[in-house]
Amino acid sequence: MADYYYYDRNSSGGFLSGLPTVTKNLIIINVLVFVMTLLRKQFMFESFALFYPTSAYFHWWQYITHMFMHGGFWHIFFNMYTLLIFGCVVERIIGSRKFLIFYFVCGLGAAALHTGVEYLQATSYMNALADGSLQAAESYARLKVTPTVGASGAIYGIILAYAMLFPQSRLTLLFPPVSLSAKWMVIIFAGIELFTGVTGTADGVAHFAHLGGMLFGWMLIRYWKKKGTLFDR
């Protein structure tokens, strides 16, 4: 694991050249897609954001492309900042190939759980609609045209991976300025996401996508550890 501390001081490519390959390219792709979204917002969202499968806007590739879409500057800023901080460490520990697999497994797992929760919501709306509820019809129609974007599911998976690799590492939040071990920080994050997802607090945030990224990340790390291949590059 010594390469976690490695930094090539003689590299001549600037800041980006010091980043691990996958983390660097993921950041570049996300930024490029964000710029394209600023230029062609409607086209980019209708084509590449993730919609519910019964939506007229749905395409199969959205399960992948939505991970590179973001809804605004602060959305992409915090996701890419977190990817930079934790992704560099995790990639250097488990290797670029495994890190790339891990990233997409977490992102796809996030989308899968999010879609599963939407299915339960849609089923509830359809049952209420059968009883003549106009509000249920409006809610179902809104669900079908609501896009889901962001790398957050994969990012939450990476944070969990960091906590599993360095459970006693101390992390400090900016707001509030609380310092906790990585293990407890992730447990608290997961608890908050579960609570807000179940209660509907902070509407507009895909809480179950975050949980899906963490869940699938946890399962994959456990699988690799059981096989003894977590650090097999």
Side-chain angles (χ1 to χ4, degrees):
M1 297 185 188
D3 61 342
Y4 162 52
Y5 299 98
Y6 174 76
Y7 177 76
D8 185 3
R9 296 180 181 275
N10 296 318
S11 61
S12 57
F15 169 72
L16 288 178
S17 66
L19 301 181
T21 303
V22 174
T23 299
K24 175 178 66 178
N25 284 293
L26 286 172
I27 292 174
I28 291 173
I29 294 171
N30 274 278
V31 171
L32 289 176
V33 172
F34 181 67
V35 172
M36 293 171 62
T37 303
L38 293 177
L39 298 175
R40 295 285 305 278
K41 184 174 182 178
Q42 183 174 346
F43 167 77
M44 293 295 291
F45 267 78
E46 289 181 358
S47 301
F48 304 117
L50 177 62
F51 287 89
Y52 187 64
T54 61
S55 171
Y57 299 113
F58 175 76
H59 300 286
W60 64 266
W61 59 77
Q62 293 170 354
Y63 278 101
I64 297 174
T65 58
H66 85 282
M67 289 187 270
F68 300 95
M69 297 281 295
H70 289 86
F73 173 77
W74 292 112
H75 190 196
I76 189 173
F77 175 82
F78 284 114
N79 273 348
M80 294 304 100
Y81 177 75
T82 307
L83 175 58
L84 175 67
I85 297 300
F86 295 100
C88 287
V89 178
V90 175
E91 182 177 351
R92 285 171 176 151
I93 293 295
I94 69 176
S96 295
R97 182 181 65 85
K98 271 195 170 63
F99 181 74
L100 182 62
I101 294 171
F102 184 82
Y103 186 90
F104 278 100
V105 166
C106 290
L108 291 171
L113 185 59
H114 176 71
T115 302
V117 171
E118 284 190 321
Y119 171 77
L120 295 178
Q121 291 176 324
T123 301
S124 174
Y125 296 149
M126 294 301 291
N127 290 337
L129 183 58
D131 294 331
S133 171
L134 293 179
Q135 183 177 359
E138 294 174 359
S139 297
Y140 182 56
R142 185 166 56 251
L143 182 148
K144 291 199 297 181
V145 296
T146 301
T148 299
V149 296
S152 302
I155 299 300
Y156 268 73
I158 290 171
I159 295 173
L160 179 129
Y162 177 89
M164 293 181 73
L165 292 167
F166 305 99
Q168 300 307 318
S169 174
R170 304 295 292 183
L171 300 177
T172 302
L173 293 175
L174 294 177
F175 303 104
V178 176
S179 181
L180 294 170
S181 68
K183 178 181 69 174
W184 279 107
M185 190 75 77
V186 165
I187 290 173
I188 291 173
F189 277 1
I192 291 173
E193 290 299 323
L194 181 60
F195 174 79
T196 52
V198 171
T199 60
T201 309
D203 191 27
V205 178
H207 300 291
F208 286 101
H210 299 166
L211 288 170
M214 298 177 79
L215 174 62
F216 277 77
W218 177 80
M219 290 191 298
L220 186 54
I221 293 290
R222 293 274 297 180
Y223 172 75
W224 280 337
K225 280 187 172 182
K226 186 175 181 179
K227 289 188 65 179
T229 60
L230 180 59
F231 306 112
D232 178 14
R233 308 264 176 121

